[in-house]
Structures are given as structure tokens and as C-alpha cells.
Amino acid sequence: MSDPTAITDAEFQKFREFFYRKTGISFDDSKRYFVDRRLADRIKATLSDDFRSYFMLLRFQASGEECQLLTNEMTVNETYFFREDHHFDCLIQSILPAIVKRKSNKDPIRIWCMPSSSGEEPYSIAMCLLERWAGIHDWDVEIIASDIDTGILKRARAGLFSERSVRNVPPHMLRKYFTKSGHEFQICEDLREAVEFTRANLADPADTQNYKEFDVIFCRNLLIYFDDISRRTAADIFFNALNPGGFILLGHSESMSRISPIFSVRRFPEGIVYQKPVPIP
Ligand SMILES: C[S@@+](CC[C@H](N)C(=O)[O-])C[C@H]1O[C@@H](n2cnc3c(N)ncnc32)[C@H](O)[C@@H]1O
């Protein structure tokens, strides 16, 4: 008897197009094994007869619950504290000074971490602000952290991290902001409360239209999974979400200038970032 979870080339193709439209992520043929295995698991878990009936469920289930569960399985959530740490130096030494020059301190400084994965990036930002930015006493800072994956957001809110994940946290900060719980480290409640985690899809302008008036966006290590069309959609979303003069930081292998001429390139001593131009009066 043939395996009911086996996926044909044509089915893989159909799924790939569907998933790309939903998430902006495009799987090439080299990801076939990764995709097939996750689809087979979900076909079994939902007691679907085969790919065909599973694909119907995926597309037409009114709640969208299965589509969300599958998306959670398909995402790559690799992250850790103080990843590409020159960006945190850049935030403290160059970006925030540029922002506060133009802003009234009645308005909060708003930072969007998109995608946040399990929270290491927004929590790293929060710790840096507390440890290294004198302005923290005068300015109200809001940190919003978003991801498409609802499972990983749950973990981010719980704030429990592996030894591997905290390996770059300086020892004095580990002692100050974390409590050891078995083999894991839990970040303190004040920091958990300082970051608001929300589910949002960067491939869907309707989903992100209420994300507005940000001064800084961290979008690191997601655009590598997007093709040029999804990157352009993301660039437009960021443009609309930023205040004039606001900044975007991308991962080291990602470049905004290639996909969008709408941002200016700023070369700070700590690295290159992108800026939404300020209209000329
Ligand atoms: C490799 S992690 C990067 C996390 C963090 N920014 C970093 O650099 O360490 C990529 C994250 O992108 C999320 N993701 C994938 N597609 C997305 C989309 N369309 N919208 C929002 N988040 C998405 C995944 O769930 C995953 O958590």
C-alpha cells in the first residue's frame, strides 16, 4: 500500500505557492525534505487521508488554526542574545542620539522588533537601554516585538532561555536580569513586562497596517527567507511604519538598498543602517 503522507512533485509545487502567498517565505527544491517531513506530520496529526484532503483543510478551515500550526512548524526560529552585537552599540551610540535630537520627550521612542522569534533580540535591546543609555531616565521607550509564529511568541512571553541562548550575555547582566531555573534562565519580570509581544505577518500589509510611528525597526535574519517581491512588500510596510527620520537595522547578509530606493543609507561608525528620509520643508 502506498504511503498516504507521501507528497508528489506537483503537490509540493502547489503547497509551495500557497505558503509563499501566505508568509512571503519561498522554499526552493533544496528544502524539499524539510517541508515534506513537516507536512507528513501534520497530515497524520489532523487524521487527514492524504495531502489532498489536508490541503483542503489548510485552505478552507474557517478558523485558520491549522494554517497557523503548520506555519509554526515551518519557521526557522534560530536566535540568541546580543546576536550581531554591533547593532546594539549602534543603537546606543548613534541612532538614539540622532532620534532624541528631533523628538519632544513627551512622545515615546518606539522600537519594533520584527521578527522577534523567542524574544532574545527585544530583551537584548531592553537590557542595553537600561545598562548603557543615560536617556532612559528622561524618555519613555516602547518595545513591540512581533513574529508570525504564535508558538514562539508564547515562549518569548514566558522568557525562559537555554544556556546556549544566553551565552553572549555578560556575566554581570546574567546575574542581574536572570534567575537560573534548572538548565534554563528566566528573564526578570520587569523586562518581560517591558516588551509587548504580538503576532504579525510581514508578508501581509493588511496585518501590519496598524504598526505606526516607530523610530527604530530591527528586522534581522528574516529577509534572507524572502524573495525580491516579498522583500519589496516588507520595505513598503517598514516605510509606512516608520516616523520620518526613523531607522531600520537588517541582518548582516541583508541589504535594503537593493530592494528599495526609498530609504537612505547611513554609515555610522558601528555599521550601516537605513533611514526613512525626512521631508524637506
Ligand atoms: C531566524 S529568526 C530571526 C530572529 C531575530 N530577528 C534574530 O535575528 O535573531 C526568523 C523569524 O522570522 C519569523 N517569520 C518568518 N516569516 C515571517 C513573516 N512573514 N512575518 C513575521 N515573522 C516571520 C519566524 O517565525 C522566525 O521566528
Side-chain angles (χ1 to χ4, degrees), residues 80-85 163-171:
Y80 48 90
F81 281 91
F82 298 110
R83 182 178 196 179
E84 295 179 50
D85 63 350
E163 277 183 30
R164 193 173 167 273
S165 175
V166 300
R167 66 190 182 275
N168 289 346
V169 179

Side-chain angles (χ1 to χ4, degrees), residues 23-25 75-80 83 114-117 121 147-149 152 200-203 220-222 225-226:
T23 67
I25 297 173
T75 51
V76 177
N77 304 120
E78 163 69 8
T79 186
Y80 48 90
R83 182 178 196 179
M114 166 54 128
S116 66
S117 188
E121 187 176 87
D147 202 283
I148 198 173
D149 180 337
I152 208 72
N201 179 358
L202 190 59
R220 307 188 311 161
N221 304 303
L222 169 56
Y225 301 103
F226 280 12

